[in-house]
Amino acid sequence: MNKVSYFIVNAFTTELYKGNPAAVCLLDTAIPESTMQKIAQEISVPTTAFVQKKDNDFFLRWFTPAKEIPICGHGTIASAFLLWKQGIVPVNSSITFQTFSGPLQRFGLMS
């Protein structure tokens, strides 16, 4: 069984229980798309982001409880925030996510 850690992050706010919630799942290894969809249904927030690190790249996919979506702003911001806060990426470093919609880059931790 693969280990999947997840966090709920509220984007676009500095206050608890405000903003736009997204679940961010950190994957040790790839999991099937059907499993990602089931996890998104179970967590049941507007968007669940799945982040997997491979070598120096981060791969990112987004699922609503109903389907996979091609891009999600608050899911991307939540994913970058979590990688910085968990110390996976240094706070002052940029992050490039590889997605089906092309590469997306975030610069530095927002306060």
Side-chain angles (χ1 to χ4, degrees):
M1 178 182 284
N2 295 325
K3 178 182 174 187
V4 177
S5 299
Y6 80 92
F7 303 81
I8 305 296
V9 178
N10 291 310
F12 307 125
T13 187
T14 57
E15 297 179 50
L16 288 175
Y17 313 111
K18 302 281 184 177
N20 204 349
V24 180
C25 297
L26 301 178
L27 304 177
D28 291 336
T29 59
I31 61 174
E33 185 176 303
S34 61
T35 302
M36 287 187 243
Q37 186 62 66
K38 288 176 185 173
I39 291 169
Q41 289 171 343
E42 180 74 20
I43 295 172
S44 196
V45 295
T47 301
T48 301
F50 292 87
V51 180
Q52 183 186 0
K53 185 172 190 211
K54 288 184 186 176
D55 300 319
N56 293 323
D57 290 321
F58 289 96
F59 291 83
L60 179 59
R61 293 174 76 175
W62 309 270
F63 287 76
T64 71
K67 64 180 181 175
E68 184 171 13
I69 56 177
I71 195 163
C72 178
H74 80 284
T76 303
I77 289 170
S79 297
F81 178 83
L82 184 66
L83 292 173
W84 288 316
K85 283 296 199 180
Q86 292 292 309
I88 296 167
V89 175
V91 171
N92 294 326
S93 296
S94 65
I95 300 171
T96 301
F97 292 109
Q98 302 302 328
T99 75
F100 290 141
S101 297
L104 300 174
Q105 193 167 40
R106 289 292 312 153
F107 298 94
L109 179 62
M110 300 176 300
S111 55

